[in-house]
Amino acid sequence: MEALDVARWQFGIVTVYHFIFVPLTIGLAPLVAIMQTLWNVTGKDHWLRLTKFFGKLLLINFAIGVVTGIVQEFQFGMNWSEYSRFVGDVFGAPLAIEGLAAFFLESTFLGLWIFGWDKLPKKIHLACIWAVAIGTNLSAYFILAANSWMQHPVGAVFNPETGRAEMVDFGALLTNNTLVAAYSHTISTSLLVAGTFVAGLAGWLMVRAARSSELDLARTVYRPAAMLGLITIVLAGVGVVVSGDYQGKLMYEQQPMKMSAAEALCVGEEGASFSILTIGDLSNSCEGVRHILTIPGVTSYLGTGDFNGYLPGVQDIQAQYAAQYGPDVDYQPNLAVTYWSFRLMIGFAAGSAALALAGLWLLRKGRITDKAWFARLCLVAIPMPFAAASFGWIFTEMGRQPWVVAPNPTGPELIRMLTQDGVSTSVPVGEVLASLLTFTALYSVLAVVWFTLMRRYAALGVAPAPSDEPDDGSEDSRPLSFAY
Amino acid sequence: MDLPLLWFLLIAVLWLGYLVLEGFDFGVGMLMRPLSRTDTDRRLVINTIGPVWDGNEVWLLVAGGATFAAFPEWYATMFSGFYLPLLLILAALIIRGVAFEYRGKIDDDTWRARWDWAITIGSWVPSVLWGVAFANLVRGVRIDADHQMVSGFFELLNPFALLGGATTTLLFLTHGAIFISLKTDGEMRERAGRLAAVLSVPTVVVAGVFALWAQTAYSAHVWTWAPVLVAAGALVGVVLMTRARREGWAFTLSALAIAAVVVFIFGTLFPNVMPASNDPANSLTIANASSTDYTLTVMTWVAAFMTPLVLAYQGWTYWVFRKRLTAAAIPAHIGLPLRDESTTSAP
């Protein structure tokens, strides 16, 4: 076993894990902010109860997202120090700015929001949750600026003296079209995750309430929340499709290997079909690939916007890269992983669509529902966009291999780095393994705790309507709300 | 001004902010168990840092990110070189952060006890290891000609570094005890104040020995005597003020002492960022580890705009939560019972 493999496994595990929680935080923070805004504007009690209910779930989720995020920032230096040396001049800036502009904002105002319920004026308290929502979304922007640069380096030159990439245009980094695509795709996906979460939970709770004769609760509390979630799914879904389409076309220009690997297209063709089922011997070689069910022209359309467009095959690109970047390197990503992760991404996102269709129909014109199958659909749908988001990232990161910094076809040729050249050379494999095992064990335990708490607090439903508690008016005697 | 030098100073300021702020968070975490008699006590202690600990920890993330951006060589060499200590620190910060959020979520003694251990261990480990790591930086580590740090883990556990670990731990314990006495009222305030007065004495002694050792053995500058004297003066002040129960002054002085220690550490490093103990030619310096002027210029503009804003709203947070907490303000447990007795089955 080599340190490179262990370090790659660690990066994959901790990053996929981190991104289970992140999209929910990014999407749910604005939704909770909207709920609280509706409470402020309409004064209706149920929006306050929903704010507190989903707010508590947001906090349970936020905690793990934050602590696992520290690992993300440190592991570049720990496991990928040669990568860090090569890109630091460019890649470090968005990371530092993410901390300064976004992490401070979200962490500080989340603290104010949690503990400020009775301490802050209503409007200022509302502004706090909006600051959290803005912070999480800003953070996504800066970290994606960094990631997009790895997919499609812009605004940098290669300095032969130092042997490293150096930034010459920060504006180009922030307006990288790869970033525009990735950001809109990630944010719309996060809203899809959160919309499905809110619609799924509220839908399930509505059926539960309706079946235990709490029709009023179902109608006045859970239905509005479910509608908010369902509308979010629809809007976010459109965003996901549009941004994903844009991203596919950029990928065709910028990382053709990834696009062709997504279809396991070995030899270039015009009007390349999209296969729904393919078998291969998983040996990652073109010979084993057998497409079974195909839709003609669709892959060409995804890449070029033309059903008859030409798509190069991975073997064509391999030959081109070998001539351009040197022989003796396998420039093909793992075909089985890219092929299947691409399909699973799309397939799982359909879970949200199914929930939206069923939900919007059942809840049309003020209706509520007590159908057991809908409650089951709600529960099944909730994890699906999470899975879609994970597979999307697995696709985009595995599809970039063997590069850690993929060469920009129209940029400086020497701004590129193979993953194998980025790993720390001074860290013994045993230490990397210790790190992999530590994080895997720790994260497994935390996953169980997270899931248990989320399930228990979700099943609780909203708190009963607040009765008018006697209040002697002095702030000191009042217990802290939301305290630890 | 020379931009790499400016960023060396800014990174020192970020570490200063981090260690002063999370220093008391760590102290509070370490003292939560010994200072508490009841569970309400423990919650009282935790809630003193409840609204602020997360924001305090961001200082670390920004210090790390700024090092990456401004000194990629330093970031790469230090983070891969201090691999195992950082791994332990990360694991500690993870369990500690989650513990604050989760300990009250289930109303059960065993559940809470487990998270309390997570808070305790998660506060002790970084307190010790930050000191060990910084002391090793001051002492110098073995770095080869390719800027790879080649000191092994056990080499990092030398007597000087362990004394450094003891120093940060004692500083944070005292700082945390003072903070609790400043933020609570009643019996807890009394207990924490008494403990702070007790802890302040070994803190002066250990920190004093460490600073003298570091200054005489590893500092190339005469002027670093200044932060040594400031730290010493501040810590003697802490001894006096904790005895007099002047909590505000004691806290100001313990913060000043930690700040002076950070200034001292970065002062002894200057003009290196990572001195090589084997061959000074291999040292990472402000000049040879830094980013380009373009990157540093961009970062300087961002920092110039964002830092005042961050300081303003973080300061405001402390203002909002300035009142002392009492046990009476700690609400009844709101956690769910351990066993799931609700009818959660699908309808």
Side-chain angles (χ1 to χ4, degrees):
Chain A
M1 195 163 13
E2 285 189 46
L4 172 67
D5 300 318
V6 185
R8 284 189 64 192
W9 272 108
Q10 171 171 332
F11 196 91
I13 289 171
V14 301
T15 309
V16 168
Y17 186 85
H18 178 61
F19 207 75
I20 293 172
F21 313 103
V22 168
L24 185 59
T25 297
I26 294 175
L28 193 55
L31 288 184
V32 169
I34 288 172
M35 291 176 196
Q36 194 172 340
T37 307
L38 287 169
W39 172 56
N40 270 27
V41 173
T42 65
K44 288 198 173 121
D45 203 46
H46 64 267
W47 286 118
L48 174 63
R49 292 160 76 192
L50 287 165
T51 302
K52 294 207 169 181
F53 172 67
F54 283 106
K56 195 161 271 176
L57 297 173
L58 174 68
L59 295 181
I60 294 172
N61 189 64
F62 192 90
I64 295 207
V66 166
V67 296
T68 55
I70 314 176
V71 179
Q72 294 302 103
E73 188 182 280
F74 277 42
Q75 68 176 340
F76 293 114
M78 292 168 73
N79 282 344
W80 303 98
S81 59
E82 298 317 295
Y83 165 79
S84 302
R85 283 177 219 278
F86 178 63
V87 302
D89 195 76
V90 192
F91 186 87
L95 247 68
I97 296 172
E98 183 189 21
L100 199 55
F103 290 160
F104 269 130
L105 194 67
E106 52 181 338
S107 302
T108 308
F109 282 96
L110 191 72
L112 278 160
W113 188 72
I114 300 173
F115 289 84
W117 274 97
D118 300 322
K119 281 205 173 347
L120 294 170
K122 221 166 139 184
K123 286 209 174 94
I124 301 216
H125 186 254
L126 173 65
C128 289
I129 189 70
W130 277 110
V132 174
I134 292 167
T136 56
N137 281 269
L138 259 184
S139 138
Y141 179 75
F142 286 109
I143 196 63
L144 286 170
N147 179 272
S148 297
W149 188 83
M150 298 164 76
Q151 311 282 352
H152 183 64
V154 291
V157 293
F158 181 76
N159 181 342
E161 257 172 59
T162 55
R164 66 185 193 185
E166 293 181 351
M167 185 155 71
V168 288
D169 185 356
F170 187 56
L173 242 76
L174 296 183
T175 53
N176 190 349
N177 52 12
T178 318
L179 166 62
V180 174
Y183 184 69
S184 45
H185 200 53
T186 306
I187 297 301
S188 49
T189 302
S190 301
L191 285 167
L192 189 74
V193 167
T196 309
F197 184 80
V198 169
L201 275 186
W204 182 80
L205 289 165
M206 176 183 16
V207 174
R208 188 176 76 178
R211 286 170 91 89
S212 47
S213 310
E214 294 175 289
L215 292 179
D216 196 46
L217 181 67
R219 191 177 306 280
T220 58
V221 180
Y222 292 130
R223 189 182 177 280
M227 286 306 291
L228 175 66
L230 292 168
I231 292 166
T232 306
I233 295 178
V234 173
L235 295 177
V238 172
V240 167
V241 172
V242 172
S243 60
D245 180 61
Y246 175 48
Q247 213 175 11
K249 290 180 173 57
L250 276 182
M251 203 195 302
Y252 168 74
E253 290 167 22
Q254 299 174 346
Q255 295 176 280
M257 184 65 104
K258 193 193 282 187
M259 191 73 211
S260 299
E263 182 50 38
L265 186 69
C266 286
V267 183
E269 57 180 89
E270 283 166 10
S273 7
F274 182 85
S275 58
I276 296 179
L277 184 63
T278 291
I279 51 171
D281 58 6
L282 298 184
S283 65
N284 195 25
S285 76
C286 271
E287 287 75 40
V289 176
R290 297 271 177 282
H291 297 300
I292 292 180
L293 263 177
T294 58
I295 318 172
V298 168
T299 297
S300 276
Y301 178 79
L302 290 177
T304 64
D306 175 359
F307 284 98
N308 294 314
Y310 175 77
L311 221 59
V314 292
Q315 289 174 339
D316 310 322
I317 306 169
Q318 167 73 29
Q320 182 205 329
Y321 281 10
Q324 195 175 357
Y325 303 122
D328 311 323
V329 178
D330 183 0
Y331 293 103
Q332 297 175 34
N334 185 312
L335 292 183
V337 171
T338 42
Y339 179 91
W340 282 112
S341 56
F342 189 65
R343 273 149 192 77
L344 289 168
M345 168 184 78
I346 298 169
F348 274 115
S352 302
L355 179 64
L357 281 177
L360 287 172
W361 174 254
L362 290 172
L363 303 189
R364 69 189 184 281
K365 293 183 193 154
R367 286 181 173 83
I368 55 167
T369 182
D370 63 353
K371 293 202 169 16
W373 67 264
F374 180 68
R376 243 173 272 133
L377 174 66
C378 284
L379 292 187
V380 172
I382 289 173
M384 289 184 118
F386 283 92
S390 292
F391 282 113
W393 273 110
I394 291 171
F395 168 67
T396 206
E397 297 295 287
M398 287 296 286
R400 192 189 58 221
Q401 302 304 323
W403 302 106
V404 63
V405 180
N408 177 344
T410 56
E413 201 169 270
L414 287 169
I415 305 274
R416 61 171 204 257
M417 186 181 231
L418 291 169
T419 306
Q420 63 190 40
D421 298 330
V423 75
S424 297
T425 53
S426 61
V427 182
V429 60
E431 293 189 7
V432 190
L433 193 62
S435 157
L436 171 67
L437 295 175
T438 305
F439 286 124
T440 308
L442 200 55
Y443 282 12
S444 306
V445 173
L446 289 183
V448 174
V449 174
W450 171 81
F451 183 77
T452 309
L453 287 177
M454 289 296 264
R455 191 182 63 81
R456 293 285 307 279
Y457 275 88
L460 207 57
V462 296
S467 52
D468 291 320
E469 285 162 22
D471 191 343
D472 65 4
S474 88
E475 197 192 293
D476 297 330
S477 63
R478 217 183 292 150
L480 295 164
S481 58
F482 264 64
Y484 286 149
Chain B
M1 188 182 181
D2 183 31
L3 284 173
L5 176 62
L6 173 69
W7 274 90
F8 177 74
L9 297 176
L10 280 177
I11 286 168
V13 169
L14 288 168
W15 278 105
L16 190 155
Y18 173 66
L19 294 173
V20 167
L21 293 173
E22 197 149 74
F24 64 73
D25 288 350
F26 287 144
V28 168
M30 289 187 280
L31 294 173
M32 176 200 64
R33 290 170 59 93
L35 272 181
S36 302
R37 293 192 185 137
T38 63
D39 184 59
T40 307
D41 282 352
R42 291 185 181 189
R43 294 174 68 203
L44 176 62
V45 170
I46 295 171
N47 275 294
T48 60
I49 56 169
V52 294
W53 72 268
D54 196 0
N56 293 346
E57 202 158 290
V58 177
W59 285 81
L60 170 66
L61 282 152
V62 178
T67 310
F68 196 174
F71 297 97
E73 284 288 307
W74 184 12
Y75 171 78
T77 304
M78 181 163 69
F79 280 54
S80 59
F82 287 96
Y83 196 89
L84 287 182
L86 285 176
L87 170 63
L88 292 172
I89 287 171
L90 286 176
L93 293 182
I94 289 173
I95 58 170
R96 176 173 167 277
V98 176
F100 287 137
E101 291 294 336
Y102 288 179
R103 88 177 286 281
K105 291 282 184 282
I106 300 285
D107 186 7
D108 176 72
D109 287 338
T110 317
W111 171 273
R112 279 190 290 267
R114 286 196 184 134
W115 290 117
D116 286 349
W117 277 112
I119 291 172
T120 304
I121 297 167
S123 302
W124 276 94
V125 168
S127 296
V128 175
L129 288 181
W130 285 129
V132 169
F134 275 109
N136 273 303
L137 278 185
V138 167
R139 182 174 178 266
V141 288
R142 288 188 300 122
I143 299 173
D144 70 15
D146 295 328
H147 285 175
Q148 302 288 353
M149 181 171 145
V150 288
S151 299
F153 178 64
F154 290 100
E155 219 175 308
L156 300 178
L157 302 179
N158 54 76
F160 177 71
L162 293 176
L163 187 65
T167 302
T168 46
T169 308
L170 279 164
L171 281 171
F172 296 163
L173 280 167
T174 307
H175 198 38
I178 295 170
F179 184 78
I180 296 169
S181 71
L182 184 67
K183 293 296 295 178
T184 56
D185 222 338
E187 211 189 323
M188 181 58 75
R189 178 183 181 183
E190 182 59 28
R191 244 182 274 159
R194 261 201 313 268
L195 184 62
V198 172
L199 283 167
S200 61
V201 177
T203 307
V204 182
V205 175
V206 172
V209 173
F210 174 75
L212 287 176
W213 188 349
Q215 172 65 30
T216 50
Y218 302 114
S219 179
H221 316 294
V222 178
W223 71 264
T224 45
W225 276 108
V228 170
L229 293 176
V230 171
L235 286 176
V236 171
V238 168
V239 173
L240 300 174
M241 289 300 135
T242 47
R243 245 138 259 268
R245 297 295 154 79
R246 301 285 298 271
E247 289 128 350
W249 276 108
F251 184 74
T252 309
L253 288 169
S254 68
L256 178 65
I258 295 174
V261 169
V262 178
V263 171
F264 171 72
I265 289 170
F266 281 80
T268 57
L269 291 179
F270 180 86
N272 298 311
V273 291
M274 266 184 102
S277 57
N278 48 329
D279 181 359
N282 294 349
S283 293
L284 273 67
T285 65
I286 293 174
N288 75 14
S290 84
S291 283
T292 57
D293 267 8
Y294 177 82
T295 298
L296 294 178
T297 307
V298 169
M299 297 281 300
T300 305
W301 280 106
V302 174
F305 277 104
M306 295 307 304
T307 314
L309 203 62
V310 169
L311 290 175
Y313 63 66
Q314 276 211 336
W316 179 63
T317 308
Y318 282 91
W319 172 254
V320 168
F321 300 107
R322 66 192 177 280
K323 285 232 167 77
R324 288 175 185 272
L325 289 176
T326 57
I330 300 300
H333 281 297
I334 43 163
L336 297 174
L338 180 65
R339 276 179 201 291
D340 191 356
E341 278 151 7
S342 61
T343 50
T344 57
S345 54

